[in-house]
Amino acid sequence: MTSPIILSKIQPPPTRPDLIIRPQLLERLQTGISRRLTLVSAPAGFGKTTLISSWLDTLEQSKASPAIAWVSLDEGDNAPVRFWTYALAALHTVQPEVGQTAQELLNGSELPSFEIILTALLNDIQARLPATQRIVLIFDDYHIIEDQTIHEWVTFLLEHLPPQLHLVIISRSDPPLPIARLRARNQLTELRTDDLRFTPAEAAAFLNQAMGLQLSAENISALEARTEGWIAGLQLAALSLQGREDIEGFIANFTGSHQYVLDYLVQEVFEQQPQTVQRFLLQTSILDQLSGPLCDAVTGDHNGQSMLEHLAAVNLFVRSLDDRRQWYRYHRLFLDLLRHKLQQTGIDVDELNRRASHWYEQEGSTDQAIHYALAAHDYDHAGDLIVQNIKDIFIQGKKALLLTWLEMMPPSWLHAHPLVCLAYAWVLFVNGKFEASKQRLAQVETQLMTDGTEGEFDEACIPQLQALPHSLLSVKGLLLTLKGQLSVMQGETQQGIDYLEAGLSGMPDEPPGLKNFVIHQLRLAYWINGDFDAAENILHRFQTEQPVAGDTATIIALLNQAERHLLHGRLQQAAVLYQRLLQVLNKQEREAWFPAALAHSDLGVIFYEWNDLAGAEYHARKGIEFGNRGLGTVRAVAAGYFGLIQTLRAQNNLAEASRVADEMDGLLQEVDLGFHLPISNVLRIPLWIAQNDLDTIRQLLPTYQTAALSRLASQVSKLTSLVAQRYLALNEIDEVAVIASNLLVADDQNIDDHVNGRVLLALVHQAQGDRPQALIDLTEALALAEPEGYIRTFVDFGPPMIALLHDVLAASRQNGADQPPTADYIHTLLKTAQPLDAPPPNAPLLSAAASPLLEPLTDREMDVLQLLAKGYSNRKIADELVITPGTVKIHTSHIYSKLDVSNRTQAVAKARELAILLTT
Amino acid sequence: MSQNRFFSKTQCPFHSAAEYQIKVLGWLGQDWSDWFDGLTITNQAEVDSEPVTVLTGCVIDQAALHGILRKIANLGLPLLAVNRLHSKTTHAPNENPKA
């Protein structure tokens, strides 16, 4: 299933015997073990890797040595699965049992969320290693990592690090991790450029002892000044001084020159080498890694191995990657200089790359073979290799790599290979590049269909078909599915439904994964289209046609019912079902699966309506977080933002609300869903009203119609009501009346439409001076709304609504009737609708801004703290929260560290003191 | 403030070609021009007599700009400044006085 581990990547690089020992740096590294992270961040050539490997050498000699897990990263590690596979393999070399569960999860056919994988790893470390043992996990060349998910999960690891584990990150630029936070909490040791540059004493020792020169103090300080202690510069200077007679002359020229240090010195050193060495350096500079046989293949000579050993021995540009003198690589700093030189020589670089590609192909290293074939501009061969191996590429999850390759292929090749293009469209789609995917798909279609007749494939494609991975076998089904999803995403829902239905009918039962996926997409499409019976129906069809695991069916059924209740304004029932759904997901350890995102986001909307702002914020943020991780959850993300922006506005935190709205725009644009932007602007309407920014509201582009397209966001009537607020603010009463009557003509089962419609109508009548009718409308709305606990729909309209509510209250006192709306209910509404300058009644007890803690507790940690306060044991907390006792231990240790206490009694006392416990 | 978000990507200055000027510390030969996507290379001494190389030329988009910056980092060249001179598609305001 997975590609083999390259051992040299998880071995610390060997150190050289003539190393300069740097005691003060070693001491800082040693004391740093007690903190969470050591960051070694400096440009190339400052001896970062050398320093850490020399530290490891001293550790090996000392007695209570921590165990070392080393990972040398390369470009290929930008795939999360591969990154963690290597991290686990490195830990495995330390303690064979550690990380076994996590490894099994990673290798499994269905990849769970990384939260589950990493939690398994952390639990393992906690459970299997004595508290006194230390493991140092080192990531070298971390700057190569660009994949945002990897950064997120490294951050997760850092935030949940058990005391046994220490992280070292070696990087040429500061990684996008919470460095400032760790620094503020004294959990970070940093070694930066200024710490790493050679001191004059170290420069002297290096030049005269390690490099065997006999330079005067004056010459040494001249070199040290010119290179500013940059080790690579000093090393090159030493190399060009070795065996030179006119030392004074060289140093005078070098220090007098304005030329870039490295350019100058590499030129000097290079020219001192014999012709054969110069030639070897240039020809092999195309390679990222070097071995004797590979170099021979590229140069056509037979001296590769001895040449590499020689270069490494004299420390000339090359460094060894393993103890067995098998693999080497050029020091990154010289690589570009050599490649630049090669470019100017007139050597046939394409031919060199072609030879490298051929060698790797013989060795069975497909990725490398494709890489060098592309570098050689040999597209036909690269294409052949891609087609031959596409199954493995998919199985091994190298989709990002496939994208990089296909982006380099010329259009003519892609044109001749429509099925690879289909795979291309699929990968683009999965990566959220919907527009590009759509274009590819259109291309595939014209290529695949003979003379345009629908559904017929060119016979000539069949051999290509055989090579495709299993899940792509139903080409027609897949094509239609992709088209359908793209249409739905872009608002052409009916069209999308047609495609998806057609795709589903042509889809084979095997493999079930793809078919289930299409079924869900289709259901979502019906839902978006407002055809709820069809959405439910598809589930029945799906259950009878193909029985699936009971759990999944339960989840989808719950989700469907809950969504339907919510849509009709049956908030109570919807909330109960969503909470049950979350429990089921929790039990199955699928907390982060897309139904959870939908459940959280919709609970956020419900809690907002109930004016439980703390609950609304919690669920909305969860919904956004989970929704961001998966496909098909645009609705969850949009609903999450709906809840969050409204909540922040209700808390009178307009700046944050507006920042969050910007964040939503950015997110939608990132995934090519810019056409949903009107939603976020509709969500901004109350913000502008609160800021009395009527000009912006007047210029606002989206109309009722554009907002209506956004069923994706949440309940249509709620968005519509926001649009109506816009018209109210501008005093355009007729428009409000139109919106109200549109809501009221709809399905009369729909509480939500009717509550919103009646409320608007009441405001219209009041504005028109028809107060009695306004009271009738409002009373009707209140009667419908009371059993479901509606609050914000009323109070968000502010003073005019307050006045009306007082009148309804007075009228109900006269009538003395005890059917809804009750006086109690209206009192609650009035209490909530206080003027904005008073603090909101249900302000959250713990918000990030108000927290007196340096780092606020996470939601989960709050949950644990609540139960600690009730005196629960770890076991009982674990049962209550449906997590393992090991995870509870991780949480409690974080709670202690954040509260700066050492046991649970102190933690609870401190929490009371800080007033962060929720009163229940 | 918020109207801009409806503008299409093509109107956004960050996605179109522009002339850039990049300054690094230390002199580089003209022969480096090819390596840096054809940017013109000039050496100049700054006021405080630090040797400075100026790379100037048209960069097609932000991705290309970051590619060049990455090459600079790979060579260990200290980066002093990155300036956008003017975009290729529109005129700078001072070149286009009001009619």
Side-chain angles (χ1 to χ4, degrees), chain A residues 449-669:
Chain A
M449 310 294 179
T450 44
D451 56 62
T453 45
E454 169 135 14
E456 292 304 314
F457 291 100
D458 196 334
E459 289 291 315
C461 290
I462 299 302
Q464 281 184 46
L465 194 70
Q466 309 291 333
L468 285 172
H470 198 45
S471 62
L472 294 184
L473 270 178
S474 168
V475 177
K476 187 180 167 192
L478 190 68
L479 183 76
L480 289 164
T481 302
L482 267 179
K483 280 180 71 165
Q485 289 188 76
L486 285 164
S487 301
V488 173
M489 291 275 183
Q490 308 204 320
E492 295 151 18
T493 321
Q494 188 52 51
Q495 173 102 76
I497 289 172
D498 294 345
Y499 284 138
L500 286 168
E501 282 284 6
L504 191 59
S505 68
M507 194 69 69
D509 286 346
E510 288 294 320
L514 185 61
K515 190 162 183 175
N516 287 349
F517 178 76
V518 183
I519 288 168
H520 172 69
Q521 294 302 328
L522 185 55
R523 194 185 134 268
L524 192 68
Y526 275 123
W527 193 91
I528 290 169
N529 213 28
D531 191 345
F532 308 107
D533 290 331
E536 215 149 301
N537 216 0
I538 178 96
L539 277 178
H540 294 310
R541 273 162 61 195
F542 148 68
Q543 274 165 346
T544 49
E545 275 174 26
Q546 196 203 0
V548 287
D551 291 343
T552 305
T554 313
I555 288 170
I556 297 209
L558 272 173
L559 184 60
N560 203 42
Q561 281 173 21
E563 283 177 334
R564 204 170 168 171
H565 283 309
L566 177 59
L567 205 83
H568 285 90
R570 297 188 290 267
L571 307 184
Q572 310 281 3
Q573 279 160 293
V576 168
L577 288 179
Y578 274 133
Q579 270 157 345
R580 194 182 305 156
L581 175 65
L582 286 177
Q583 280 168 3
V584 174
L585 287 167
N586 235 316
K587 241 177 227 133
Q588 296 181 23
E589 302 205 336
R590 293 162 96 176
E591 294 97 329
W593 198 35
F594 76 83
L598 288 166
H600 279 298
S601 288
D602 282 349
L603 280 173
V605 173
I606 295 170
F607 279 36
Y608 172 74
E609 183 56 55
W610 290 346
N611 199 41
D612 176 349
L613 300 182
E617 182 170 352
Y618 168 81
H619 284 294
R621 287 194 190 275
K622 277 269 175 245
I624 294 168
E625 184 196 336
F626 292 159
N628 263 337
R629 289 195 207 145
L631 260 187
T633 45
V634 182
R635 190 183 85 68
V637 174
Y641 277 111
F642 177 91
L644 185 56
I645 293 172
Q646 290 281 73
T647 301
L648 290 166
R649 197 222 8 109
Q651 291 168 350
N652 213 12
N653 191 351
L654 299 184
E656 176 66 4
S658 152
R659 193 196 63 73
V660 169
D662 288 346
E663 183 186 297
M664 178 178 177
D665 286 351
L667 188 84
L668 289 175
Q669 255 159 349

Side-chain angles (χ1 to χ4, degrees), chain A residues 196-207:
Chain A
L196 290 168
R197 67 171 86 244
F198 269 169
T199 62
E202 283 169 337
F206 173 74
L207 293 166

Side-chain angles (χ1 to χ4, degrees), chain A residues 69-90:
Chain A
W70 180 286
V71 187
S72 299
L73 298 167
D74 59 54
E75 266 96 2
D77 295 322
N78 270 303
V81 173
R82 182 170 143 149
F83 180 94
W84 293 110
T85 301
Y86 271 102
L88 291 174

Side-chain angles (χ1 to χ4, degrees), chain A residues 103-130:
Chain A
Q103 187 62 60
E104 281 160 16
L105 289 168
L106 259 181
N107 289 348
S109 56
E110 206 175 320
L111 189 66
S113 83
F114 282 102
E115 183 164 3
I116 291 166
I117 296 171
L118 290 178
T119 307
L121 171 67
L122 295 171
N123 286 343
D124 241 19
I125 292 174
Q126 285 273 71
R128 291 180 193 271
L129 299 181

Side-chain angles (χ1 to χ4, degrees), chain A residues 146 172 258-260 262-263 332-333 336-337 339-340 343-344 662 665 669 677 681 684 688 699 701, chain B residues 1-3 5-6 9 25-29 31-32 34-35 49 51 70-71 74-78:
Chain A
E146 288 173 344
R172 254 182 263 150
H258 278 333
Q259 200 181 343
Y260 174 50
L262 211 63
D263 198 15
R332 180 67 235 191
L333 203 50
D336 280 12
L337 286 150
R339 286 180 182 172
H340 163 59
Q343 210 179 45
Q344 300 188 313
D662 288 346
D665 286 351
Q669 255 159 349
L677 284 179
N681 259 8
R684 280 192 178 85
W688 288 320
Q699 288 162 13
L701 300 173
Chain B
M1 57 170 192
S2 309
Q3 288 93 314
R5 66 190 73 255
F6 291 105
K9 284 183 179 176
L25 185 63
W27 284 354
L28 276 184
D31 55 352
W32 279 94
D34 276 356
W35 188 257
S49 81
R70 177 168 300 209
K71 282 183 177 172
N74 281 344
L75 285 168
L77 274 164

Side-chain angles (χ1 to χ4, degrees), chain A residues 20 97 116 140 181 214 262 323 523 632 756 777 800 833 866:
Chain A
I20 298 296
E97 321 89 69
I116 291 166
D140 193 9
R181 200 192 311 160
Q214 275 139 19
L262 211 63
D323 290 331
R523 194 185 134 268
N756 279 284
D777 290 326
Q866 293 290 345

